[in-house]
Amino acid sequence: MAKRMSTFKQAVQLIEQADTCLVVAHLNPDGDTLGSALALYHGLYLLRKHTVRLLCHDPVPEIYRFLPGSTAVETEQQPITVYDLALVCDMSQLNRAGRHEPLIRAARRIVQIDHHMPQEVFADVRLVDQSAAATAEIAYRLLRALRVPFTPEIATCLLTGIVTDTFSFKFPNTTPRTLRIAAHLQSCGASISEINEQVFETRSFSAVKLLGLALSTLKRTEDGRIAWAIIPRSAFEEAGASEEETEGIVNFVRSIHGVQVAMLLRESPNRKIRVSLRSRGAINVALIAQQFGGGGHENAAGCTLEMSLSEAEHALLHEVQKWMACSTSTNPSA
Ligand SMILES: [Mn+2]
């Protein structure tokens, strides 16, 4: 066996040898982790594997239930069984698998398919590419390497991952390769307009109500470069909304003229504060999130804080201002 076999070839070999497989999406799932995991799930089915389980800590959010195969997602904790292979999608740390982490760790082999800044080394084969706009781009390359036919179902799942993570090709992570892959997926039967309609243009009444309550808390620093909104528990109750219905709210904050860092702080039922961070330009919010044990991408990241809302607000503001001060002093041309 060649020593420097490409990681894709190694992954293909592990998949070809496996009879029993797990495919795992991260907790609080988004369109990319679900689209990638579902596409791989369909692919393994076409490869006639003996057993394929599709796992996620949380149920599939309403807006992603249109994805073909979404009803196959299992959330309950499974008894520990040794699977031949676990394919882990869109996670840089295995604790993002939530209650399924022990089952993944028990698998004979783990393949990681991801595009986040690397954190924990947990996989035997790591298909990690930070230049990919979405994990779905890497799942696409893996499925091509496996010579799986691109059915309309697989194409729809993968394109949903790409559309979600590029915010419909509007974020700077969109590359010529992203567009070429998207074009191929559309030619295989996926529809960009239908995916957009499902993911971005369909909201529940409670989600829009929550958006209004969140935006009514909007604040910014004096120089206008940092803006944030907060969602206390009471707002979720007033709107009758769930945690998943906060998706996209932070982008309204980021869209404000002059804002370089946008934050959304929301109070979980367990009183932990979950934070979404977005930036424009050179400020790497993944590094800020890492200060609080979180992670993500340069322009989109998240973390969880165990303190009160107002303490979290102060701690984050302090940290972001610190990073902004050093990014301007080390890069005066920016
Ligand atoms: Mn992703």
Side-chain angles (χ1 to χ4, degrees):
M1 187 169 61
K3 211 167 171 54
R4 292 210 55 83
M5 202 197 313
S6 85
T7 50
F8 278 94
K9 276 195 182 144
Q10 291 173 29
V12 165
Q13 202 172 68
L14 287 184
I15 292 168
E16 282 172 351
Q17 289 164 354
D19 278 327
T20 59
C21 308
L22 298 171
V23 186
V24 192
H26 64 68
L27 46 78
N28 190 20
D30 58 21
D32 188 30
T33 195
L34 288 170
S36 304
L38 275 161
L40 291 168
Y41 173 81
H42 290 300
L44 293 174
Y45 180 83
L46 292 174
L47 293 169
R48 303 191 179 282
K49 294 299 165 191
H50 183 272
T51 309
V52 188
R53 313 285 296 267
L54 178 54
L55 304 175
C56 184
H57 181 90
D58 296 301
V60 176
E62 186 72 42
I63 58 166
Y64 299 119
R65 297 216 181 123
F66 76 96
L67 285 172
S70 67
T71 53
V73 173
E74 298 176 88
T75 56
E76 318 80 60
Q77 182 139 24
Q78 306 291 317
I80 296 291
T81 313
V82 180
Y83 284 81
D84 293 334
L85 182 66
L87 300 177
V88 177
C89 301
D90 205 38
M91 286 177 235
S92 57
Q93 288 174 294
L94 216 42
N95 63 9
R96 298 276 292 148
R99 69 173 69 91
H100 305 301
E101 182 179 347
L103 192 62
I104 300 170
R105 293 208 187 269
R108 285 198 180 85
R109 293 276 188 260
I110 303 175
V111 174
Q112 177 188 12
I113 303 123
D114 188 33
H115 68 137
H116 293 91
M117 189 178 288
Q119 296 205 65
E120 178 191 355
V121 178
F122 58 81
D124 299 279
V125 176
R126 305 172 71 226
L127 305 179
V128 179
D129 178 1
Q130 280 190 81
S131 75
T135 290
E137 274 192 26
I138 308 166
Y140 169 91
R141 287 161 65 192
L142 177 57
L143 287 166
R144 285 201 69 150
L146 284 161
R147 300 177 189 280
V148 165
F150 278 71
T151 60
E153 290 77 23
I154 288 179
T156 298
C157 293
L158 291 174
L159 190 55
T160 299
I162 292 171
V163 165
T164 313
D165 267 25
T166 59
F167 201 41
S168 214
F169 309 103
K170 284 183 274 194
F171 283 166
N173 59 358
T174 308
T175 64
R177 182 179 62 190
T178 314
L179 295 172
R180 278 194 295 270
I181 293 174
H184 180 220
L185 294 172
Q186 174 117 327
S187 74
C188 293
S191 162
I192 289 179
S193 62
E194 272 172 35
I195 292 169
N196 269 301
E197 188 62 33
Q198 293 283 351
V199 175
F200 295 115
E201 301 302 330
T202 310
R203 293 169 195 271
S204 63
F205 181 82
S206 51
V208 177
K209 182 108 182 151
L210 188 70
L211 170 68
L213 293 171
L215 294 182
S216 72
T217 71
L218 196 61
K219 287 188 207 165
R220 64 176 170 181
T221 49
E222 221 163 284
D223 61 9
R225 295 200 297 163
I226 309 171
W228 65 99
I230 58 173
I231 312 181
R233 224 39 245 163
S234 59
F236 284 102
E237 281 150 23
E238 190 184 335
S242 62
E243 186 91 359
E244 70 188 51
E245 292 177 298
T246 57
E247 180 133 350
I249 294 180
V250 69
N251 295 316
F252 285 90
V253 183
R254 182 190 172 274
S255 71
I256 299 165
H257 181 73
V259 165
Q260 290 175 14
V261 174
M263 308 191 284
L264 179 72
L265 288 74
R266 52 195 203 270
E267 197 174 8
S268 286
N270 58 14
R271 300 284 155 179
K272 288 182 184 169
I273 310 302
R274 302 181 56 151
V275 182
S276 301
L277 293 159
R278 298 289 182 274
S279 68
R280 233 199 289 260
I283 294 152
N284 186 339
V285 285
L287 295 175
I288 298 173
Q290 278 182 13
Q291 301 299 309
F292 298 99
H297 308 283
E298 203 173 316
N299 297 117
C303 54
T304 302
L305 278 66
E306 291 191 48
M307 52 181 86
S308 75
L309 253 182
S310 61
E311 285 168 339
E313 199 176 344
H314 284 108
L316 283 158
L317 196 58
H318 179 77
E319 196 62 32
V320 173
Q321 280 175 320
K322 214 170 77 189
W323 281 86
M324 286 182 100
C326 41
S327 80
T328 35
S329 62
T330 55
N331 191 4
S333 61

